[in-house]
């Protein structure tokens, strides 16, 4: 077995026991990346020289008998909307092409301190706006399970990198499902923490009241390890919670027997793929067998969540993205005067989906429409939160499929915004409520008779700041599935090696 | 046109920079006059991913300003984003308070007893500065940007349209400036931009119920500019009404050199700031105990000081008003009185020679080059007859220049009045000997000529002789 | 639901071609049409939620200056600079408008 196949937990332990070095770990992942990246295009930029320095530093610490930190040389891929000092931060947008960040995001700083080795910046939908990673100025990322399909989005590069074995861990950001949905599409674990659990400082803002950074991993344990490293109060982000950070890895084995799990009926009504429904129901059976009481429950506002989300997120985005004006950084279009510079820079620099959302948000905040759109959505958001409060008064966790469908084909939905937005219908309520949710692989569906099996995810939603229960249930569920899930992933990875390289497809509207 | 037929209604928007060490939402320095773009960071440059963190001291100073201006402080207020594009605004939105300001319902009382109501006081961040490249405004193709000022905390103070003359506007501004300076919340210097004024001015026929169409005036860089621009607008607008013309709702620019206002832009619907609550900043929640602690820490304000000087120290109202132009001057005066200086002579010297010297040298009152101790000592020397009031003026100049104590200067320079009989006698004798004709005239009863002889003695003593004694000694010596 | 796409694009400073304008108009109108459903909900008296998370009070930081970015780095990021300044093209109609923020 190659090092890259070992999983974060084993790698870390072997590094700490000095059986392998951080540099050997990195070499293994870089070799794997060289092999499969030409097929997947998970990265916008690989930063091998820096990564080698990071790994050497970790090894030096271990040699000196010092604590290298809990991540002990684990390679981590970063979504390209996270600031890493000295490295390009493009958000997959032309407007930031060549922009070298002069500072580290807090989560990045914390990971480095924990001993992580950064491998590069991963592809995503431009400014995290999308559900397929097709809206990238630098080409489409492909799903390792089927190269003709999308990896989900917006954090598709981070999800695909972990799924394909190019990195044991990665970070993404989740505004309306951008971690969980690609985790579901690529068969990995992805966690969106409670709003305020992880600092947003250094995450390029999309929807500021919704955004959270979170990890992707091959297992729940891996996600718990990463969350432990990045969570906590940050004086640079006034929305981070003061609550102490639990040792998430140590809480994984807490008993799940006796927990009460609710399945919101309104969410189930939105599941379109019968395979997804079938696998989810099978997952419920496994969870019941773990001693969890599974009951049906109700979140009456579910059907409005997507609309509320597509008012609030674009409104905030229209303001957050106004700073990309060509004045102080990023690309500036040639222009004779100031106004032309603004119009041309933003007209040429942003892709169509980003422009669509800026337009939608600008409209929702504009004079005469604010009350009917933004303010109304903010009020309904209160109703959504109340629904969740009520549900959590009677249940420890809520369960649903992560996405109503499995990975769709590249190009299938990208020109139909409403069809694309529908991919988020089960994940956006979580962001509106600010609660934590984990996507863990729960089965496979085969939408095309002749095509390959595609993974689907189970979404476990928890009470605010109760990541521990969410992770514990995810862990127990994963243990119960590992005998059939892990071999399938291994087989997928193996077959990936024999696939042909794929051309980089850049959509012309980007 | 009969001028008195029309009524002026002015509301003022005053921005003051709060005297914090660091900016409103980041910890970059706020120092005025530092080299361009040296006090900047990811937050105040609006770099992607940066987030604002509010400055406690800015909030405290904002509350202090609100209390000093008789406002009611809202225990709960909120920060909003004001969205507009301009190169000096790094995030393309300004963090301000729109719907729920820090404070409301204050006033400034004028000498006439009229109160100019303050509608609201809110906190916000300043923008950077932009300048034209090149000398000629019409040929320069680039603007230059300095972001040092970007993010400096501001309090915006908005009055009701209660001001009805350019003079009232000036008094309102002066009173506000003094009050805020005494409260220690801001430098309030128009010339450094730490106080900035925009006017909303409208004119209507007297007796008309409806306010006139408001016109916004910008580029008012001094109090004088405010009064001139208002007078100009009053004329312009009343003339338009007289001619039956419509007044456009617009922003006008004050041209200081030409003494006119010119139209800048129409206030169209395109100016839509799309305010919404800043999701990065939870509500600003204050409690009564905090407000009380700010109130307790409030320095004495100008009105209180004037009352004290007039009613307790017995100074004329005029003196009291002049001394309260600056809190440092008040501090200096108070210390002098504390040291035993008599209020009126101290006030005379401060308002006279000291202010004259400082104005001539362009000094500000935070660096008065003499100490209260030395000024009081100098007054003591005059009172004890050691130096004359005239010599004291020279001594004061020396005190300014050297920082030495007046006693030392008098001694070193030999400036004491000559009062001892032996020394005076020698001089008087020599003057009598040198002026036999004048002495003869005096003897003959021409009393007036004694003044000439006294003058000669003073001259010979280089001003140090005690004139009263000289007078007596001359009489005795000539007539005996 | 009719939407003045040109006006909104002006507010957002986006240069859009006629085609893009038409396409966005169609997209936005279908999105807004879907959102009409929200009007069915009674939100009378419901407080709006503007933020998530458990931080209800603004966090205040002490007024202690800290170093920021070196000027060279700031100027290096800028598409154009002149001396110690960031530079941008001037406003369109020279001579009639002074520079400066609102």
């Amino acid at each position: 077995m190659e090092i890259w196949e070992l999983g974060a937990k084993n790698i870390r332990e072997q590094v700490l026991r000095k059986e392998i070095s951080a540099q050997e770990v990195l070499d293994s992942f870089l070799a794997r990346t060289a092999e499969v990246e030409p097929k997947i295009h998970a990265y916008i930029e690989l930063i091998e020289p820096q990564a080698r320095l990071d790994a050497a530093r970790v090894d030096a610490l271990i040699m000196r008998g010092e604590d290298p930190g809990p991540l002990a040389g684990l390679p981590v891929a970063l979504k390209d909307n996270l600031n890493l000092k000295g490295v390009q931060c493009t958000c997959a947008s032309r407007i930031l092409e060549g922009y070298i960040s002069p500072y580290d995001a807090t989560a990045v700083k914390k990971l480095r301190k924990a001993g992580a080795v950064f491998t590069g910046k991963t592809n995503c939908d431009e400014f995290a706006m999308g559900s397929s990673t097709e809206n990238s100025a630098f080409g489409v990322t492909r799903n390792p399970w089927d190269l003709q399909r999308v990896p989900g989005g917006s954090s598709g590069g981070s999800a695909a990198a972990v799924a394909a074995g190019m990195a044991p861990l990665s970070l993404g950001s989740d505004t309306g499902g951008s971690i969980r949905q690609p985790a579901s599409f690529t068969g990995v674990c992805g966690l969106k923490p409670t709003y305020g659990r992880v600092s947003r400082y250094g995450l390029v803002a999309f929807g500021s009241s919704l955004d959270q950074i979170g990890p992707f991993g091959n297992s729940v344990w891996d996600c718990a390890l990463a969350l432990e490293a990045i969570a906590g109060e940050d004086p640079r982000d006034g929305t981070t919670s003061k609550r102490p950070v639990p040792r998430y890895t140590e809480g994984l084995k807490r008993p799940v027997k006796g927990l009460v799990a609710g399945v919101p009926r309104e969410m189930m009504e939105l599941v379109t793929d019968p395979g997804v429904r079938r696998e989810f129901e099978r997952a419920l059976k496994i969870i019941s067998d773990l001693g969890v009481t599974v009951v049906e429950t109700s979140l009456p506002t579910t059907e409005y969540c997507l609309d509320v989300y597509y008012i609030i997120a674009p409104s905030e985005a229209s303001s957050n993205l106004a700073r990309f004006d060509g004045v102080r950084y990023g690309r500036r279009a040639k222009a004779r005067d100031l106004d032309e510079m603004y119009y041309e820079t933003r007209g040429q620099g942003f892709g169509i989906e980003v422009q669509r959302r800026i337009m939608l948000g600008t409209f929702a905040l504009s004079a005469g429409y604010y009350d009917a759109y933004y303010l109304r959505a903010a009020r309904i958001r209160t109703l959504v939160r109340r629904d969740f409060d009520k549900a959590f008064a009677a249940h420890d966790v809520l369960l649903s499929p992560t996405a109503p469908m499995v990975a769709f084909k590249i190009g299938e939905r990208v020109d139909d915004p409403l069809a694309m937005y529908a991919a988020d219908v089960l994940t956006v309520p979580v962001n509106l409520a600010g609660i934590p949710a984990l996507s863990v692989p729960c089965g496979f569906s085969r939408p095309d008779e002749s095509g390959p099996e595609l993974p689907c995810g189970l979404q476990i939603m928890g009470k605010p700041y109760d990541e521990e229960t969410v992770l514990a249930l995810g862990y127990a569920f994963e243990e119960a599935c590992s005998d059939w899930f892990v071999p399938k992933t291994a087989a997928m990875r193996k077959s990936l090696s024999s696939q042909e390289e794929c051309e980089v497809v850049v959509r012309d509207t980007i | 046109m009969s001028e008195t037929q029309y009524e002026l209604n002015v509301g003022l928007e005053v921005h003051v920079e709060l005297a914090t060490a660091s900016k409103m939402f980041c910890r970059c320095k706020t120092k005025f006059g530092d080299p361009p773009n040296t006090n900047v960071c990811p937050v105040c440059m609006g770099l992607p991913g940066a987030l604002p963190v509010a400055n406690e001291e800015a909030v405290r100073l904002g509350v202090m300003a609100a209390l000093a201006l008789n406002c009611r402080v809202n225990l709960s207020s909120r920060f909003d984003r004001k969205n507009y594009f301009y190169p000096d605004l790094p995030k393309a939105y300004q963090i301000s308070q729109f719907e729920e300001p820090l404070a409301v319902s204050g006033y400034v009382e004028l000498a006439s007893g009229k109160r100019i109501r303050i509608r609201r006081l809110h906190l916000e961040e300043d923008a950077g500065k932009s300048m034209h490249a090149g000398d000629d405004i019409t040929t320069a193709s680039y603007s230059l940007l300095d972001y040092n000022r970007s993010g400096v905390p501001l309090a915006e103070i908005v009055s009701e349209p209660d001001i009805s003359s350019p003079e009232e506007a000036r008094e309102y501004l002066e009173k506000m400036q003094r009050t805020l300076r005494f409260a220690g919340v801001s430098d309030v210097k128009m010339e450094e931009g730490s106080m900035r004024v925009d006017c909303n001015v409208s004119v209507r026929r007297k007796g008309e119920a409806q306010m006139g169409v408001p016109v916004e005036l910008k580029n008012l860089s001094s109090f004088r500019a405010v009064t001139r621009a208002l007078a100009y607008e009053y004329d312009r607008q009343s003339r338009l009404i007289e001619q039956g013309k419509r007044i456009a709702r617009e922003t006008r620019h004050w041209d200081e050199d030409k003494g006119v206002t010119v139209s800048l832009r129409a206030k169209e619907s395109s100016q839509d700031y799309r305010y919404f609550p800043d999701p990065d900043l939870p509500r600003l929640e204050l409690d009564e105990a905090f407000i009380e602690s700010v109130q307790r820490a409030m320095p004495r304000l100008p009105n209180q000081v004037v009352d004290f000087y007039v009613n307790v120290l017995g100074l004329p109202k005029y003196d009291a008003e002049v001394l309260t132009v600056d809190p440092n001057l008040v501090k200096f005066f108070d210390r002098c009185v504390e040291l035993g200086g008599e209020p009126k002579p101290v006030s005379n010297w401060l308002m006279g020679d000291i202010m004259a010297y400082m104005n001539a040298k362009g000094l500000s009152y935070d660096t008065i080059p003499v100490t209260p101790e030395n000024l009081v000592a100098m007054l003591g020397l005059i009172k004890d007859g050691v130096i004359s009031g005239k010599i004291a003026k020279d001594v004061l100049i020396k005190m300014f220049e050297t920082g030495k104590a007046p006693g030392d200067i008098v001694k070193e320079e030999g400036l004491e009045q000559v009062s001892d009989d032996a020394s005076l006698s020698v001089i008087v004798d020599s003057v009598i000997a040198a002026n036999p004709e004048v002495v003869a005239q005096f003897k003959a009863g021409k009393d007036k000529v004694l003044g000439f002889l006294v003058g000669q003695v003073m001259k010979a003593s280089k001003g140090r002789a005690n004139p009263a004694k000289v007078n007596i000694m001359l009489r005795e010596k000539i007539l005996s | 639901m009719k939407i003045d796409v040109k006006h909104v694009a002006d507010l957002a400073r986006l240069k859009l071609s006629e085609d893009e304008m038409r396409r966005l108009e169609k997209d936005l109108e279908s999105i807004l049409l879907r959102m009409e459903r929200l009007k069915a909900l009674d939100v009378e008296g419901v407080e709006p939620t503007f933020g998530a998370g458990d931080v209800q009070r603004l966090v205040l930081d002490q007024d202690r200056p800290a170093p920021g970015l070196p000027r060279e780095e700031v100027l290096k990021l800028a598409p154009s600079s002149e001396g110690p300044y960031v530079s941008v093209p001037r406003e369109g109609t020279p001579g009639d408008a002074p520079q400066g923020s609102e």
Side-chain angles (χ1 to χ4, degrees):
Chain A
M1 224 185 202
E2 300 286 334
I3 293 174
W4 66 264
E5 294 173 281
L6 292 176
K9 192 171 185 219
N10 289 326
I11 294 170
R12 173 181 169 274
E13 277 161 11
Q14 292 191 25
V15 169
L16 287 171
R17 285 200 304 265
K18 300 185 195 173
E19 291 165 14
I20 49 175
S21 71
Q23 292 173 85
E24 284 168 324
V25 173
L26 179 65
D27 283 340
S28 175
F29 280 100
L30 288 177
R32 171 68 180 169
T33 302
E35 184 186 16
V36 297
E37 171 64 4
K39 296 148 198 179
I40 307 288
H41 306 303
Y43 282 96
I44 287 178
E45 189 182 9
L46 278 159
I47 51 168
E48 191 178 321
Q50 288 102 315
R52 289 199 182 282
L53 288 175
D54 282 352
R57 209 188 47 228
V58 169
D59 283 335
L61 284 175
I62 294 171
M63 288 288 281
R64 288 205 300 271
E66 289 172 42
D67 180 8
L71 268 72
L74 282 176
V76 177
L78 300 172
K79 186 177 182 179
D80 202 25
N81 61 354
L82 289 161
N83 279 274
L84 173 61
K85 191 176 174 169
V87 175
Q88 196 182 213
C89 183
T90 69
C91 299
S93 181
R94 288 259 173 255
I95 212 162
L96 279 179
E97 195 171 7
Y99 170 73
I100 307 291
S101 172
Y103 76 102
D104 277 335
T106 298
V108 166
K109 216 178 242 177
K110 286 187 171 213
L111 278 183
R112 181 179 285 126
K113 217 176 138 217
V117 171
F118 301 117
T119 54
K121 307 295 288 292
T122 60
N123 200 13
C124 53
D125 287 297
E126 186 180 6
F127 287 105
M129 295 178 186
S131 311
S132 66
T133 315
E134 288 165 289
N135 300 325
S136 166
F138 308 111
V140 177
T141 294
R142 293 167 185 274
N143 191 320
W145 294 86
D146 177 353
L147 298 179
Q148 300 316 309
R149 290 177 186 264
V150 301
S154 67
S155 312
S158 282
V162 171
M166 291 191 269
L169 280 174
S170 63
L171 289 190
S173 66
D174 190 317
T175 308
S178 282
I179 291 173
R180 291 159 288 155
Q181 185 256 24
S184 172
F185 280 17
T186 60
V188 297
C189 293
L191 174 68
K192 184 209 96 83
T194 310
Y195 186 86
R197 182 74 290 185
V198 178
S199 168
R200 293 179 293 116
Y201 188 78
L203 164 67
V204 180
F206 162 16
S208 308
S209 75
L210 304 156
D211 296 340
Q212 269 293 288
I213 297 171
F216 290 94
N218 289 301
S219 69
V220 175
W221 192 93
D222 296 1
C223 288
L225 177 73
L227 179 62
E228 216 167 283
I230 61 176
E233 190 190 3
D234 179 11
R236 289 183 182 278
D237 176 0
T239 62
T240 48
S241 175
K242 286 188 192 316
R243 290 165 197 255
V245 178
R247 298 292 295 269
Y248 293 112
T249 46
E250 287 171 15
L252 290 175
K253 288 185 179 154
R254 58 159 73 181
V256 298
K257 197 174 169 182
L259 288 179
V260 181
V263 179
R265 117 178 31 99
E266 295 82 359
M267 286 188 163
M268 291 315 294
E269 285 164 8
L270 297 167
V271 178
T272 46
D273 183 323
V276 170
R277 180 181 285 273
R278 181 193 68 229
E279 295 301 294
F280 177 70
E281 275 158 11
R282 197 158 65 103
L284 291 184
K285 175 78 177 46
I286 295 169
I287 289 170
S288 298
D289 291 347
L290 293 169
V292 175
T293 309
V294 178
V295 294
E296 192 184 74
T297 185
S298 172
L299 291 171
T301 51
T302 300
E303 63 164 315
Y304 301 107
C305 286
L306 201 61
D307 305 283
V308 169
Y309 174 82
Y310 276 97
I311 293 172
I312 292 175
S315 295
E316 293 179 1
S318 72
S319 174
N320 285 329
L321 269 62
R323 70 185 61 193
F324 302 105
D325 57 8
V327 177
R328 298 159 315 282
Y329 49 78
R331 265 177 39 148
R332 177 191 295 177
K334 279 212 164 32
R336 285 157 301 180
D337 63 42
L338 185 64
D339 257 346
E340 189 177 301
M341 183 199 77
Y342 281 139
Y343 279 84
E344 292 290 342
T345 297
R346 295 168 58 79
Q348 295 168 21
F350 292 134
I352 189 76
E353 179 59 24
V354 171
Q355 292 183 341
R356 192 182 284 129
R357 296 202 197 185
I358 288 175
M359 293 283 288
L360 188 54
T362 303
F363 171 77
L365 292 175
S366 66
Y369 298 100
Y370 177 90
D371 286 358
Y373 288 92
Y374 182 76
L375 190 59
R376 187 171 191 83
R379 289 191 204 281
I380 300 174
R381 189 174 181 186
T382 304
L383 301 182
V384 172
R385 297 188 75 167
R386 284 185 195 159
D387 271 5
F388 274 100
D389 285 349
K390 217 167 125 193
F392 281 123
H395 310 89
D396 299 295
V397 292
L398 299 175
L399 305 174
S400 77
T402 305
M405 74 286 275
V406 290
F408 41 85
K409 287 200 171 125
I410 291 169
E412 189 181 309
R413 291 175 185 244
V414 76
D415 293 319
D416 181 353
L418 285 173
M420 188 64 91
Y421 299 170
D424 304 332
V425 71
L426 300 175
T427 46
V428 294
V430 164
N431 300 76
L432 292 174
I435 58 171
L438 172 74
S439 178
V440 54
C442 76
F444 293 89
S445 172
R446 197 191 296 271
D448 282 355
E449 293 283 333
S450 56
E453 281 193 318
L454 296 165
C456 41
L458 162 72
Q459 177 171 239
I460 306 173
M461 298 166 266
K463 297 173 185 174
Y465 300 96
D466 191 16
E467 280 82 356
E468 286 172 290
T469 302
V470 168
L471 289 166
L473 182 58
Y475 185 78
F477 175 75
E478 180 185 67
E479 293 276 282
C481 304
S482 61
D483 58 332
W484 55 269
F485 189 80
V486 173
K488 283 208 179 189
T489 301
M492 173 274 286
R493 285 173 168 174
K494 200 158 177 215
S495 78
L496 198 54
S497 309
S498 58
Q499 304 254 6
E500 302 224 338
E501 293 192 3
C502 298
E503 59 166 335
V504 179
V505 179
V506 182
R507 299 182 54 238
D508 58 2
T509 51
I510 283 292
Chain B
M1 179 180 80
S2 154
E3 291 250 332
T4 51
Q5 227 184 304
Y6 298 97
E7 179 183 301
L8 180 70
N9 301 104
V10 179
L12 295 180
E13 283 173 22
V14 178
H15 286 88
V16 297
E17 286 183 355
L18 297 172
T20 54
S22 68
K23 293 183 180 180
M24 183 74 217
F25 295 112
C26 64
R27 299 294 80 81
C28 286
K29 282 191 290 176
T30 52
K31 205 163 164 291
F32 178 81
D34 274 356
N37 293 313
T38 50
N39 298 329
V40 291
C41 75
V43 178
C44 58
M45 284 300 286
L47 295 192
L51 294 172
V53 179
N55 184 339
E56 184 177 37
E57 181 65 2
V59 172
R60 199 184 69 82
L61 293 177
V63 170
M64 183 80 94
L67 295 174
L69 297 171
N70 311 298
C71 294
R72 194 181 79 233
V73 176
N74 288 324
L75 292 180
S76 184
S77 64
R78 194 180 82 189
F79 287 97
D80 301 291
R81 293 184 182 179
K82 179 182 183 179
N83 296 286
Y84 67 93
F85 288 90
Y86 207 79
D88 64 9
L89 190 69
K91 298 185 296 298
Y93 62 82
Q94 179 194 31
I95 303 176
S96 180
Q97 296 186 297
F98 180 60
E99 285 235 324
E100 301 179 55
L102 179 67
V104 293
S105 309
Y107 63 85
V108 168
E109 191 169 304
L110 306 183
S112 63
K114 177 177 174 181
R115 284 183 177 180
I116 308 299
R117 290 170 300 159
I118 290 169
R119 185 185 301 163
R120 52 185 282 149
L121 181 151
H122 69 253
L123 296 173
E124 60 185 30
E125 54 177 346
D126 210 343
K129 272 186 192 158
S130 39
M131 292 142 276
H132 298 298
D135 305 327
D136 187 355
I137 192 167
T138 55
T139 57
S141 58
Y142 275 83
S143 295
L144 302 179
L145 295 148
D146 171 12
Y147 293 100
N148 280 351
R149 202 181 66 180
S150 159
V152 167
L154 293 176
E156 180 177 337
I157 304 154
V158 183
S159 86
E160 298 288 351
D162 290 350
I163 295 164
S164 48
S165 72
E167 295 70 34
E168 277 187 6
R170 185 187 187 106
E171 190 186 347
Y172 169 81
L173 291 171
E174 278 175 353
K175 283 248 149 76
M176 176 178 289
Q177 187 183 44
R178 265 184 210 206
T179 301
L180 296 179
R181 196 170 273 161
F182 272 67
V185 303
S186 172
D187 292 344
V188 270
K189 290 179 182 162
M190 289 284 275
E191 65 278 15
E192 288 185 5
S194 57
M195 181 183 198
R196 302 197 283 275
V197 181
D198 295 330
C199 298
N200 282 301
V201 43
S202 68
V203 171
R204 62 176 161 182
R205 276 183 211 277
K206 272 195 180 144
E208 210 150 283
Q210 188 93 23
M211 281 276 185
V213 176
V215 170
E216 195 181 359
L217 298 186
K218 289 198 174 282
N219 191 41
L220 303 166
S221 55
S222 65
F223 290 172
R224 189 163 166 268
V226 172
T227 50
R228 287 179 68 204
L230 286 178
Y232 178 87
E233 271 302 299
Y234 177 69
D235 280 353
R236 188 184 72 86
Q237 292 186 32
S238 36
R239 196 163 297 132
L240 284 173
I241 298 172
E242 187 72 24
Q243 293 163 0
K245 286 184 184 154
R246 202 179 65 91
I247 290 166
R249 183 183 291 262
E250 61 182 352
T251 298
R252 297 179 71 87
H253 180 80
W254 170 245
D255 186 325
E256 179 76 29
D257 296 334
K258 294 187 184 134
V260 297
T261 64
V262 286
S263 183
L264 202 57
R265 59 168 173 256
K267 281 231 160 193
E268 304 156 20
S269 57
S270 71
Q271 247 186 8
D272 179 350
Y273 293 124
R274 289 158 285 134
Y275 284 100
F276 76 106
D278 191 329
D280 293 326
L281 298 163
R283 298 184 68 88
L284 173 58
E285 304 283 354
L286 304 172
D287 52 35
E288 293 286 1
F290 173 76
I291 311 286
E292 278 162 27
S293 76
V294 176
Q295 184 72 66
R296 271 197 305 278
M298 179 79 70
R300 277 187 316 164
L301 297 176
N303 285 344
Q304 298 166 291
V305 176
V306 168
D307 279 354
F308 179 78
Y309 286 178
V310 173
N311 297 327
V312 180
L313 299 184
L315 283 186
K317 178 104 192 232
Y318 173 80
D319 289 39
E321 291 282 355
V322 173
L323 291 174
T324 49
V325 73
D326 188 279
N328 290 304
L329 203 54
V330 165
K331 217 164 112 193
F332 188 93
F333 175 83
D334 288 351
R335 179 71 185 141
C336 289
V337 172
E338 211 176 280
L339 290 166
E342 285 177 46
K344 183 57 184 159
V346 171
S347 163
N348 287 345
W349 280 92
L350 275 173
M351 296 194 308
D353 290 57
I354 293 179
M355 279 192 172
Y357 179 87
M358 302 213 15
N359 285 341
K361 297 271 169 185
L363 297 174
S364 86
Y365 293 112
D366 37 331
T367 51
I368 299 174
V370 289
T371 62
E373 285 76 7
N374 284 344
L375 180 64
V376 171
M378 192 193 86
L379 294 177
L381 293 178
I382 299 170
K383 199 179 173 197
D384 295 345
V386 178
I387 53 173
S388 65
K390 191 162 175 293
I391 289 285
K393 285 172 178 288
D394 301 333
V395 172
L396 185 65
I397 301 286
K398 292 251 155 54
M399 287 160 65
F400 278 138
E401 285 164 358
T402 63
K404 285 182 184 168
D408 295 343
I409 294 170
V410 167
K411 249 187 227 121
E412 283 167 24
E413 311 258 329
L415 296 176
E416 306 95 329
Q417 289 195 114
V418 180
S419 299
D420 68 297
D421 293 352
S423 314
L424 277 184
S425 185
V426 175
I427 304 172
V428 168
D429 286 345
S430 68
V431 168
I432 290 172
N435 295 284
E437 282 169 29
V438 183
V439 170
Q441 282 174 5
F442 181 72
K443 274 186 178 159
K446 226 175 167 188
D447 223 43
K448 272 189 191 162
V449 300
L450 190 67
F452 172 79
L453 295 172
V454 172
Q456 292 301 303
V457 174
M458 293 308 290
K459 200 173 161 190
S461 72
K462 296 199 175 81
R464 291 161 52 216
N466 182 330
K469 269 205 154 166
V470 171
N471 210 304
I472 296 166
M473 196 176 273
L474 276 170
R475 272 177 201 283
E476 278 175 356
K477 288 204 185 226
I478 295 170
L479 298 178
S480 64
Chain C
M1 181 75 227
K2 266 286 163 205
I3 171 167
D4 184 351
V5 179
K6 170 84 175 64
H7 172 65
V8 178
D10 281 339
L11 285 177
R13 300 290 190 278
L14 290 174
K15 168 91 178 274
L16 300 172
S17 67
E18 288 297 317
D19 272 0
E20 288 168 323
M21 208 76 97
R22 264 194 300 277
R23 180 176 171 188
L24 282 174
E25 184 170 15
K26 190 178 122 280
D27 289 349
L28 295 189
E29 283 174 6
S30 67
I31 293 167
L32 292 173
L33 186 68
R34 195 196 128 105
M35 287 173 178
E36 287 292 301
R37 303 161 348 111
L38 294 182
K39 296 193 174 148
L41 276 177
D42 182 14
V43 289
E44 185 74 28
V46 178
E47 280 294 309
T49 294
F50 295 125
D54 68 348
V55 186
Q56 298 301 318
R57 291 173 75 113
L58 183 69
V59 178
L60 298 172
D61 193 11
Q62 287 192 324
D63 183 28
R64 268 195 231 123
L69 293 170
R71 180 162 71 196
E72 314 79 72
E73 260 186 71
V74 171
L75 296 179
K76 214 167 62 196
L77 292 178
S80 78
S81 62
E82 198 174 313
Y85 300 99
V86 172
S87 66
V88 287
R90 258 186 55 81
E91 277 178 284
T93 44
D96 64 353
Q99 305 260 302
S101 231
E102 310 288 306

